Amino acid sequence: MVVRDLTLSKSRLTLVKFSSVKSHIQSLIYIYKRPFLIGSVLILGALFWGITSTHSSLNHRIELKLGTYLAKIAATTEFRNVFLSEPKFKHTVVKGDTLSKLFIEAGLPQSTMYKVLEADLDVLVLDSLLPDNIIEFWVNDEGGLQKLVVFYNAAKQIVFTRILDGSFQVEIVKHEGVWQHRTVSGEITDSFYQSAISNGLTDQQVLNITNVLENKFNFSRDIRSGDKFKVLLDDQYIDGDATGESKILAVYVLSINGTYSAFQFSDGNFYDENGHNLYAEFQRIPLNHKARMSSKFNPHRKHPITGRITSHNGTDFAVPVGTKVLATSDGRVEQVTKHPYAGNYIVIEHSEKYQTRYLHLSKSLVKKGQKVSKGQIIALSGNTGRTTGPHLHYELHVNGSPVNPLTAKIPSGVSLTRRQFINFLSLVKRRKIMMDLS
Ligand SMILES: [Zn+2]
């Protein structure tokens, strides 16, 4: 795939020429043999975007002047004055339109439609047209189709152009436009979703915000009436009109339980305002020193007291009563309780995915609902519950199932370097000014 950037007077254009992705989509060809129904194939549209986004990493960019580009097109295709004339037929797509019908209305043969559809195999655009898309048919001196243009939105057009052998090539024209910051603020009255929507955010933006803070703050469980949020967005505009494209730059939540923030750094990752990667990191063991393991994680262990074969869902560390027990990752204390067998124990939720448990404690140093961070001392080890001696029993659950904490794949957040951290702090400062938070 080749991407060419054209510099125009006002906005920036990106032309994307697709290489063949036919191997991915051969099975979809049958679509073209049927009457084509607008809006009935959204899934194919989604597939198309999936394919193009995976291919975009193969792009390379060449800067060209518009004149150079036009000269090149003219030299390699039958391109004739099409920029200087009107399209033969222009149509705003409505529900029920078929490509076949549009070709008839444009007075063009179905054989040409099939040639265009052959080029469409590379992008799968024509079967995912939506109402309000605009389609233009441009013809050459002989009355044959020279160019077919689909206006997806103000930022994106798909152009099918006839080349010398009579076949068509397809290009996606992207206008970079102008990105403008917008801050959305709200106060929770009912739910975060309700407040966010009534403050002008879309469903997709709500989902993205929720995901960004997933490891720190649960917008359905942790949010309270009166909590406030601010979101900094970057919206795309072409000639003053919003295209609907939007990026999240920062999220800030002022909750009764504390302050939660997420700032996107130049590496694309989100960090809290102290530079901690929001993908919470884990340490292997809940101790600040190595300790002898008295019993390993074992799904089929013969229990030392009952003699029955039961699973040992955790790892036992033989440590004296009073040894400091550390949270293995950032999270929220879910449970501080006492159990006849587990003794005094603590459960920490780290995200929807990860949970840790600390058993047989002598003393808990945290309360239910409290936020804890990785390495924080949460308890002192003990010998409570059913034990054969003082030890700490530690469990790691992934998606609700216990796993071996010493071998399981656990998140290891990438930290910022000292230089990146300095840049990050200055970015946070600028963002907070923009969000009226400083
Ligand atoms: Zn144990």
Side-chain angles (χ1 to χ4, degrees), residues 295 301 312 314-316 360 391-394:
S295 180
R301 180 180 72 154
H312 186 228
T315 303
D316 292 346
H360 312 303
H391 76 280
L392 171 69
H393 169 109
Y394 170 61

Side-chain angles (χ1 to χ4, degrees), residues 96-268:
D97 277 347
T98 65
L99 192 63
S100 182
K101 182 184 134 212
L102 296 179
F103 265 78
I104 291 166
E105 286 180 23
L108 294 164
Q110 299 287 297
S111 55
T112 304
M113 181 184 77
Y114 283 104
K115 282 183 180 163
V116 173
L117 285 171
E118 213 167 285
D120 187 54
L121 269 177
D122 290 344
V123 292
L124 291 180
V125 165
L126 293 173
D127 54 12
S128 55
L129 289 176
L130 297 167
D132 293 335
N133 286 172
I134 295 168
I135 186 163
E136 287 180 354
F137 295 80
W138 298 73
V139 295
N140 57 27
D141 295 347
E142 286 83 40
L145 183 69
Q146 183 61 44
K147 193 173 65 148
L148 186 142
V149 186
V150 177
F151 292 81
Y152 237 67
N153 58 36
K156 188 168 72 194
Q157 286 102 53
I158 297 93
V159 182
F160 296 86
T161 308
R162 182 194 291 268
I163 55 175
L164 284 174
D165 65 2
S167 66
F168 286 81
Q169 70 175 30
V170 61
E171 286 170 308
I172 290 186
V173 182
K174 282 184 179 172
H175 300 249
E176 190 49 42
V178 178
W179 291 84
Q180 270 179 19
H181 298 318
R182 172 169 60 120
T183 301
V184 175
S185 306
E187 186 170 333
I188 310 300
T189 48
D190 181 12
S191 66
F192 171 66
Y193 179 80
Q194 288 298 337
S195 302
I197 296 294
S198 63
N199 281 286
L201 294 171
T202 64
D203 281 8
Q204 188 58 49
Q205 286 164 339
V206 170
L207 187 67
N208 292 344
I209 292 163
T210 310
N211 287 344
V212 161
L213 276 175
E214 187 184 44
N215 290 323
K216 294 284 170 182
F217 190 78
N218 183 317
F219 277 93
S220 50
R221 195 184 57 202
D222 297 342
I223 207 99
R224 297 286 175 271
S225 182
D227 286 357
K228 295 185 176 78
F229 66 89
K230 285 197 179 215
V231 181
L232 180 64
L233 302 151
D234 227 2
D235 297 324
Q236 189 191 34
Y237 291 85
I238 305 271
D239 296 332
D241 296 321
T243 66
E245 295 287 332
S246 182
K247 300 172 193 164
I248 291 168
L249 300 180
V251 180
Y252 210 86
V253 178
L254 292 153
S255 159
I256 194 159
N257 293 321
T259 300
Y260 303 89
S261 61
F263 294 89
Q264 192 181 39
F265 189 48
S266 53
D267 63 4

Side-chain angles (χ1 to χ4, degrees), residues 209-412:
I209 292 163
T210 310
N211 287 344
V212 161
L213 276 175
E214 187 184 44
N215 290 323
K216 294 284 170 182
F217 190 78
N218 183 317
F219 277 93
S220 50
R221 195 184 57 202
D222 297 342
I223 207 99
R224 297 286 175 271
S225 182
D227 286 357
K228 295 185 176 78
F229 66 89
K230 285 197 179 215
V231 181
L232 180 64
L233 302 151
D234 227 2
D235 297 324
Q236 189 191 34
Y237 291 85
I238 305 271
D239 296 332
D241 296 321
T243 66
E245 295 287 332
S246 182
K247 300 172 193 164
I248 291 168
L249 300 180
V251 180
Y252 210 86
V253 178
L254 292 153
S255 159
I256 194 159
N257 293 321
T259 300
Y260 303 89
S261 61
F263 294 89
Q264 192 181 39
F265 189 48
S266 53
D267 63 4
N269 291 327
F270 281 90
Y271 298 83
D272 69 15
E273 61 187 312
N274 300 315
H276 295 129
N277 195 315
L278 287 173
Y279 198 57
E281 194 179 358
F282 275 77
Q283 58 185 56
R284 282 284 172 203
I285 66 168
L287 301 164
N288 56 18
H289 57 83
K290 279 189 178 171
R292 185 176 68 83
M293 241 190 302
S294 50
S295 180
K296 289 180 182 173
F297 173 81
N298 183 355
H300 310 287
R301 180 180 72 154
K302 189 176 176 187
H303 196 275
I305 290 177
T306 65
R308 284 198 303 268
I309 302 292
T310 48
S311 59
H312 186 228
N313 288 337
T315 303
D316 292 346
F317 297 96
V319 287
V321 172
T323 302
K324 288 168 185 163
V325 178
L326 318 177
T328 47
S329 185
D330 297 354
R332 177 177 165 276
V333 179
E334 181 76 11
Q335 199 78 261
V336 180
T337 190
K338 192 175 181 152
H339 182 278
Y341 301 136
N344 299 321
Y345 76 97
I346 293 173
V347 178
I348 297 178
E349 282 238 325
H350 303 278
S351 64
E352 294 289 308
K353 194 175 175 185
Y354 298 97
Q355 188 193 66
T356 52
R357 299 176 180 184
Y358 311 79
L359 276 57
H360 312 303
L361 306 169
S362 62
K363 189 178 166 60
S364 170
L365 303 172
V366 291
K367 290 194 175 96
K368 185 178 173 175
Q370 188 179 329
K371 295 277 173 187
V372 293
S373 46
K374 175 173 151 278
Q376 183 177 334
I377 301 162
I378 54 166
L380 300 177
S381 74
N383 192 22
T384 58
R386 187 166 66 189
T387 61
T388 52
H391 76 280
L392 171 69
H393 169 109
Y394 170 61
E395 292 180 17
L396 170 64
H397 290 242
V398 179
N399 293 324
S401 302
V403 297
N404 186 345
L406 300 183
T407 56
K409 206 175 171 199
I410 49 173
S412 56

